[in-house]
Amino acid sequence: MDTPLSPHKKRKVSKFLAHEMLYDYLMNRLDPERKTAVELELKDDEENQKTLSNMKKALGYVERINRVEIDQELLAEMNESSSYISSMLKKTQFEKWPSSVKWSIEALVVLLGVIVFLVVVPWDQALKMTLFPKDKEVILAEINRDPSVGKNINLAQVEKTEVPQFQDDEKKAEPGAAPKAEPVAVALIEKDKKIQTPAKKEIIPEVAEDSEKASSDDPEKKALSTGFLYRGQLDVTNVEMNSPKITEKIIELGGRKAGEVDIGWKKSDTTYYYHFTFPEAKYEELVEFLSEYATTELTKEKHPRIMPDGIIRLIITVDEKKQ
Amino acid sequence: MDELAVRDIALFFFFCLLDEEKAYDFSSRAVDEFYELKRKHPTEKVQILVVRATYKIWKKLKSKIQRGRPQITKQMGWTWPHDINFGPWMEYQKNAIHDEFIVSIWALFLKYSDDEIANGLEMTPGTIRYRLGHALKKLGTYV
């Protein structure tokens, strides 16, 4: 075929181009010139002839197998939405609702979700876990009120205690001192073993009972739940010399410091302060000893702090006797 | 009109997967997708929307397709004459290039035009014709 673009006045397509145009040739989409050119090429090319034959066979095969029918019920099932929500939206024609209503419903759903979340999450536990790590947890030690517990306390155990067991009344009264927690009935113990010292452990049996327990209706228990404190004041001549002797004797008889200061703490030049626990059995001996220095009058006062059986607590002030 | 689209979707996944159960699952999702697309593009041709919906679901779930393990039992609702031999198509499905394979289903089974397929896939019609030519040549070798 003559063509102005061809130097030989004929358009001839290559084998490759003919191969690529076979589909369009088969579908009869080529223009007449190209169609003729492909046909010319096909005459001499067995490979392309075979490919074209294969394509025709494939088209025929597709026509044969394209007779699959689908059950109407199956189509109807597919037409139904696969998810419940989209199915519901379709049934209710949600898309056609006014946008203000749609937005309100969506906001309501979100709000409900937030409320459910707030209600369901155990916030107490979550806050405890985040704000108060378990190893820093502080627990209240509860002491058995059974009198037999007190009897079993070994005094030697108490001797090991280096930490003050009670607040000094005198010190507490000092101006500017930070207010201390009422030590009635409870003791705070660091649960952390690293922090907890053996001395602290030994304090536990000496801790007084809970004030709530003290309010028990049982009169017998009520009596048990009230503690006592022995308080007194001595005027001693040459107190500076005699005070160490008194201290030594108290310790010898089994007295142990009860407050923050040592037994026989020099409060001022003429005043010595004794705050200590003491075996009740040796009380008379102590009084007798102190009587050698001055007239000893110790008053037994009620005090909320309860001592273990056999142990008493004393606060004695020794002053220089005025001439 | 929509019923025809649903039928086309069901046929597409039947020939694509050769697994009735999966075809049902994929088709249901594609039908949802089709309606969603139709809502967004109400004036678009149904054929183009079908191509888009089926292509999206096919692309999303193609990792679940096990080629070469046909599961066609006529129990789900697809029926065909007894003389049909799916052998060459199964062989082609197993070995075909994905892009050529799915284009051949739209064009040869659903009879969609090159332009519709090209529009649905956002490609040129030339690309579609190229893929289709190659698909036919390969399928012919199994027939």
Side-chain angles (χ1 to χ4, degrees), chain B residues 81-97:
Chain B
H82 290 289
D83 60 337
I84 285 184
N85 173 22
F86 285 111
W89 182 253
M90 287 175 188
E91 199 63 27
Y92 173 62
Q93 185 232 25
K94 198 164 86 177
N95 300 306
I97 295 167

Side-chain angles (χ1 to χ4, degrees), chain B residues 63-81:
Chain B
S63 60
K64 292 183 180 175
I65 301 169
Q66 289 179 315
R67 298 202 293 174
R69 292 184 188 176
Q71 298 284 333
I72 43 175
T73 54
K74 286 189 180 178
Q75 287 176 355
M76 291 284 291
W78 281 272
T79 53
W80 55 89

Side-chain angles (χ1 to χ4, degrees), chain B residues 9-76:
Chain B
I9 290 168
L11 273 181
F12 173 87
F13 283 114
F14 176 81
F15 285 111
C16 180
L17 306 174
L18 291 176
D19 182 324
E20 287 166 292
E21 210 172 307
K22 280 185 182 165
Y24 177 79
D25 179 32
F26 283 37
S27 300
S28 300
R29 296 175 192 224
V31 168
D32 283 348
E33 184 62 30
F34 167 76
Y35 282 121
E36 183 66 21
L37 287 170
K38 199 181 173 192
R39 188 181 62 80
K40 287 179 184 169
H41 311 283
T43 56
E44 194 70 275
K45 276 181 82 175
V46 170
Q47 286 83 351
I48 293 169
L49 296 179
V50 169
V51 170
R52 282 184 193 161
T54 47
Y55 182 63
K56 186 177 178 181
I57 298 301
W58 173 81
K59 218 165 60 166
K60 195 173 168 182
L61 304 173
K62 70 178 176 184
S63 60
K64 292 183 180 175
I65 301 169
Q66 289 179 315
R67 298 202 293 174
R69 292 184 188 176
Q71 298 284 333
I72 43 175
T73 54
K74 286 189 180 178
Q75 287 176 355
M76 291 284 291

